[in-house]
Amino acid sequence: MSSRLSSIEVKRRNRINVFNGLLSASTATKPELAGRLGLSIPTVGMICDELMREGLVREAGMQASEGGRRAMRYEPCLDRFRSLGIDITRRHVYMALIDLRGEVIAGERQRFPFEDTEDYRKELSGRVEAFLEKNHTDPGTILGCGVSVAGIVSPQQDRVLYSHVLNVGEETILNHLTAQQLHAPQIRFFNDATAACMAECYSHHAPDSFVFVSLSNSVGGATVINNRILPGKSGREGELGHMLIVPGGRRCYCGKCGHYDPYGNALLLTERADGSMQAFFEKVRAGDSELTQVFEEYLHYLAIMIYNLHIATDLPVVLGGYVGSYLKPYLPRIRELVGEQNIFEEEEEFIFSCEYNVEASAVGAASYFTKTFIESL
Ligand SMILES: [Zn+2]
């Protein structure tokens, strides 16, 4: 019995590996895949045929002849299924559609101030429908819809428990959203920082293990070990915005003083530039002395945060959120500031900026369904 079960499990892993092999290679012949995955050519051939019958793999033309036998190339049908992600913020909604490789097919940011009303829920449903239509997406191909919010979600990810930014608790209208209203077979809620971190994990540029700092209108984070986000016991992991860094300091939105959020949120910067992060950094680059000082102070506290995270975990730190994607040119300065504190000689760089920008949380929330689908192949 157990050997039979394990052979089923081996076959399942082989299917996943063949599909992932095609996803990362774009196209491959059966012998190439077999060689890369350490499987026999007949095994790969059988799996490829199965995946073709299921509409997940197709032929991609004959390989150019190099004197020997010509072999058929295969490619994944990236568009067979799509996943939808929606990031709901106080003033905007960001929608993203991703393919089976996790790449963004379409993304759109719309000004749509959040209201905890029935009308908001209906209009959101209409906007999602229009977004799918515009991007020629048959709802029958959607694997699921991930909804990201700046707040705490239930450990089962089926409810929003609390969001300070949206000013809602468990009675929120968001908890009455149905999968059907979002034109998807299933729906799941994600904390926005966790979702942004999931997008980074998917980007293939990120290290296998890292601490993610999400510097958006509120600050959050997550820890990734071997490509998996560490779950807390109650869904409250990575609340980096409430780490104490200046005892008795500025008041945090939670009501306590000296937490990191009032030193690290994105609003500190955008409020100085008519709400635009791009405008803020353009002014800093142009040498605006007042904004340069604001930014230098921002980096000072960020460096304290990074140092504390790194000294506690010995992991790389990835800076994400609205601010993170703008920080690449300033990484040398950040490394210098952190280096002033560091008691260790570092052999490798350990501070990085994120790949994604404002779309990160929506893309990450969508990626859950793509990943889960591939894992269930
Ligand atoms: Zn706080």
Side-chain angles (χ1 to χ4, degrees):
M1 186 71 182
S2 66
S3 73
R4 184 179 139 72
L5 275 181
S6 73
S7 82
I8 290 173
E9 180 56 24
V10 167
K11 182 165 179 264
R12 201 179 75 81
R13 288 297 346 158
N14 288 345
R15 263 168 70 88
I16 295 170
N17 290 340
V18 166
F19 193 64
N20 273 329
L22 280 169
L23 284 177
S24 58
S26 295
T27 72
T29 64
K30 288 172 181 172
E32 279 170 2
L33 275 174
R36 199 170 312 145
L37 300 171
L39 298 171
S40 72
I41 295 176
T43 299
V44 169
M46 194 180 69
I47 294 172
C48 260
D49 294 345
E50 256 177 37
L51 293 173
M52 277 178 69
R53 284 196 294 278
E54 292 163 29
L56 289 166
V57 167
R58 63 182 162 231
E59 293 180 344
M62 298 298 277
Q63 182 175 33
S65 172
E66 286 171 18
R69 244 183 90 201
R70 278 153 54 96
M72 178 59 74
R73 300 197 72 80
Y74 295 86
E75 65 184 3
C77 301
L78 293 178
D79 233 12
R80 175 73 180 85
F81 291 109
R82 297 175 165 191
S83 298
L84 178 63
I86 304 175
D87 181 36
I88 294 176
T89 70
R90 188 155 33 181
R91 297 194 186 90
H92 295 89
V93 59
Y94 192 99
M95 293 182 266
L97 266 175
I98 64 168
D99 66 18
L100 284 176
R101 191 182 275 143
E103 279 169 13
V104 180
I105 301 167
E108 196 171 309
R109 187 169 187 241
Q110 297 180 2
R111 192 172 165 80
F112 182 29
F114 178 77
E115 285 169 25
D116 204 22
T117 62
E118 188 62 29
D119 284 350
Y120 179 90
R121 184 165 68 116
K122 279 189 192 142
E123 187 172 341
L124 180 66
S125 174
R127 285 181 185 229
V128 170
E129 188 175 8
F131 175 69
L132 295 179
E133 260 177 38
K134 186 172 149 190
N135 293 296
H136 315 290
T137 302
D138 171 2
T141 64
I142 301 276
L143 293 170
C145 177
V147 179
S148 137
V149 290
I152 312 279
V153 304
S154 66
Q156 298 78 25
Q157 295 167 314
D158 59 346
R159 281 183 348 273
V160 175
L161 299 181
Y162 164 78
S163 167
H164 172 82
V165 171
L166 300 180
N167 192 24
V168 298
E170 236 180 311
E171 323 72 49
T172 174
I173 200 79
L174 294 173
N175 288 337
H176 297 280
L177 266 174
T178 62
Q180 195 184 9
Q181 284 164 340
L182 297 178
H183 314 280
Q186 47 177 332
I187 173 178
R188 246 171 205 260
F189 291 99
F190 298 90
N191 165 271
D192 62 341
T194 306
C197 182
M198 287 158 66
E200 291 302 319
C201 288
Y202 223 143
S203 75
H204 307 295
H205 304 282
D208 291 345
S209 301
F210 59 98
V211 181
F212 182 71
V213 186
S214 173
L215 302 163
S216 289
N217 290 350
S218 58
V219 175
T223 304
V224 174
I225 303 289
N226 296 330
N227 297 310
R228 288 199 182 273
I229 294 179
L230 275 191
K233 282 195 166 174
S234 41
R236 300 198 289 249
E237 67 279 3
E239 286 293 330
L240 302 181
H242 304 290
M243 271 176 70
L244 182 59
I245 62 160
V246 185
R250 294 176 194 161
R251 186 171 293 275
C252 180
Y253 66 82
C254 69
K256 308 225 183 266
C257 288
H259 290 180
Y260 179 62
D261 193 278
Y263 297 89
N265 71 58
L267 296 170
L268 290 167
L269 309 183
T270 54
E271 272 170 357
R272 300 298 191 112
D274 297 326
S276 163
M277 192 66 75
Q278 199 174 338
F280 178 88
F281 280 100
E282 274 166 14
K283 286 182 178 167
V284 168
R285 275 196 296 275
D288 182 305
S289 62
E290 198 187 319
L291 293 195
T292 302
Q293 206 181 331
V294 168
F295 186 50
E296 188 60 26
E297 189 188 71
Y298 184 91
L299 293 184
H300 167 76
Y301 291 109
L302 178 61
I304 294 174
M305 185 63 164
I306 295 169
Y307 175 69
N308 286 345
L309 293 172
H310 180 66
I311 203 76
T313 61
D314 188 28
L315 292 175
V317 176
V318 176
L319 305 172
Y322 305 158
V323 186
S325 60
Y326 286 92
L327 291 178
K328 203 166 244 169
Y330 306 98
L331 288 177
R333 175 69 184 138
I334 295 170
R335 287 170 180 148
E336 184 183 29
L337 288 168
V338 174
E340 286 170 13
Q341 300 300 325
N342 205 350
I343 56 167
F344 296 119
E345 287 290 325
E346 301 284 344
E347 279 155 26
E348 288 173 19
E349 296 294 3
F350 63 92
I351 305 169
F352 304 98
S353 61
C354 64
E355 291 296 319
Y356 287 97
N357 191 351
V358 289
E359 71 278 23
S361 295
V363 170
S367 74
Y368 169 83
F369 298 97
T370 306
K371 271 194 164 173
T372 310
F373 174 75
I374 293 172
E375 282 296 311
S376 72
L377 270 181

